[in-house]
Amino acid sequence: MNAIEAYGDKLYIGAAIPNFVFASWDKYSDLIMSNFNCYTCENEMKPEAILDEEKSRNTLPSSYKHAAVKFDACAPVVKTALTVGVKLRLHTLVWHSQTPDWFFTEDYTSGGAPVCREVMLCRMENYIKDVLAFFLEGYPDLIYAVDVVNEAFDRESGDENGVRRDKNMWYQTVGSDYYYQALLFAHKYAGHSTKLFYNDYSCMYKPDIILSNLKSAKKEGLLDGIGMQSHLSLTDNQELYFAAMDKFASEGYEIEVTELDVGVKDADHEKLERQGEYYQDLMDRIMSRRESGTNISAVTVWGLSDHLSWRRGEHALLFDENLNPKPAYYGFLRQYKKSEL
């Protein structure tokens, strides 16, 4: 049994896939197509990959409130997804990281003076409109979900309401409601079949901050779901993780597990077995909630194999560097039996 057979009629089972995988498609295609029915670009749909600095600067002043965009970086995933017939998650529109500083300045240079709130809101709206139009008009039904805002809330680097302030040009130019404005614009331009998500890390440690800040947007119908980044380790408490999930579900949010990996440092055979057990426990509890009525619609792992992981050296994914399934894979399928491995 593979992941599509195990879950394909119940959930989107996704993977974050970098561009060079599509350039070597024959090497990875069997593994991908038998296990994943939706893809997420690891980096190629983030603002730094889509915003066109040179064209924006060279077309001033007409581009002053409307930065230029380009979509060559994500062309391989779009082509492959259309060819094999799978859906895409769009990750992500508004994020403090991997959004270039020049986008926020008067002259589109990294050293320029920041623009005012009014101008930045125009740039935000036009950027969101252009990105959504490219996909929703050019490739109808390809994008099923959008991470509209990523990582807007943080206890340590946030303001009095927990809105991320430090090293956040969105906060500095637009203000503490920048995430709400992004959701407002995304709702304005998204199609009815496209789900709009707020996505964040360490959700188990800040569910109340997330819920309180998103309350107005949820009440106004601007937001469908919460993406729970799930960069976990064997020492992470699943009780806290699922307590947060239950809080989100109780407020009427659709839930997606968006960036799943489970790190194991200094991995030996015993730790890899424990990793398999951890994945199995996680998926058992996810599916139990779904079968009981919790609106969990997708689980996406953040990478294909250990050597393609952003957490290289932590053996965090389902397949090893030779693309062989690990105990983690069998645990993910809820088929892990320690005595057989």
Side-chain angles (χ1 to χ4, degrees), residues 234-250:
L234 293 183
T235 55
D236 282 325
N237 187 330
Q238 288 194 23
E239 298 298 328
L240 288 176
Y241 178 88
F242 284 102
M245 182 181 286
D246 292 343
K247 282 189 175 183
F248 298 147
S250 70

Side-chain angles (χ1 to χ4, degrees), residues 151-335:
E151 301 178 0
F153 312 125
D154 188 83
R155 290 184 184 276
E156 285 72 33
S157 63
D159 61 16
E160 64 275 12
N161 295 313
V163 182
R164 181 184 291 275
R165 176 174 50 195
D166 296 350
K167 298 179 180 179
N168 186 354
M169 289 297 293
W170 284 116
Y171 191 102
Q172 294 175 35
T173 54
V174 173
S176 61
D177 65 336
Y178 78 91
Y179 64 90
Y180 171 82
Q181 299 297 329
L183 291 166
L184 198 65
F185 294 139
H187 183 264
K188 179 178 179 180
Y189 296 108
H192 295 297
S193 62
T194 304
K195 298 292 183 69
L196 302 180
F197 280 80
Y198 172 76
N199 192 58
D200 212 336
Y201 66 97
S202 296
C203 290
M204 58 185 153
Y205 301 118
K206 54 185 179 183
D208 294 335
I209 290 176
I210 293 171
L211 288 171
S212 63
N213 280 296
L214 295 180
K215 185 176 182 178
S216 293
K218 183 68 169 67
K219 184 177 181 180
E220 294 169 31
L222 307 181
L223 185 61
D224 296 296
I226 292 178
M228 296 181 67
Q229 293 182 26
S230 302
H231 298 299
L232 303 169
S233 299
L234 293 183
T235 55
D236 282 325
N237 187 330
Q238 288 194 23
E239 298 298 328
L240 288 176
Y241 178 88
F242 284 102
M245 182 181 286
D246 292 343
K247 282 189 175 183
F248 298 147
S250 70
E251 294 296 324
Y253 286 99
E254 182 176 333
I255 308 297
E256 290 201 0
V257 176
T258 55
E259 303 184 22
L260 176 61
D261 48 28
V262 180
V264 182
K265 294 183 178 179
D266 302 319
D268 54 23
H269 182 71
E270 180 181 358
K271 287 183 179 178
L272 291 177
E273 286 188 333
R274 286 173 54 204
Q275 185 187 46
E277 293 169 347
Y278 193 98
Y279 266 107
Q280 178 150 322
D281 190 26
L282 194 78
M283 292 304 297
D284 278 343
R285 297 172 82 166
I286 287 171
M287 295 309 295
S288 175
R289 279 166 169 76
R290 190 183 185 283
E291 290 158 8
S292 297
T294 300
N295 188 7
I296 303 172
S297 54
V299 176
T300 292
V301 294
W302 204 246
L304 293 177
S305 60
D306 288 344
H307 76 297
L308 298 177
S309 171
W310 74 291
R311 299 173 73 178
R312 291 190 67 175
E314 295 187 49
H315 314 276
L317 293 171
L318 308 181
F319 300 92
D320 67 18
E321 61 274 9
N322 297 313
L323 305 182
N324 294 318
K326 298 160 50 185
Y329 178 70
Y330 296 106
F332 185 82
L333 297 183
R334 305 162 75 193
Q335 294 182 330

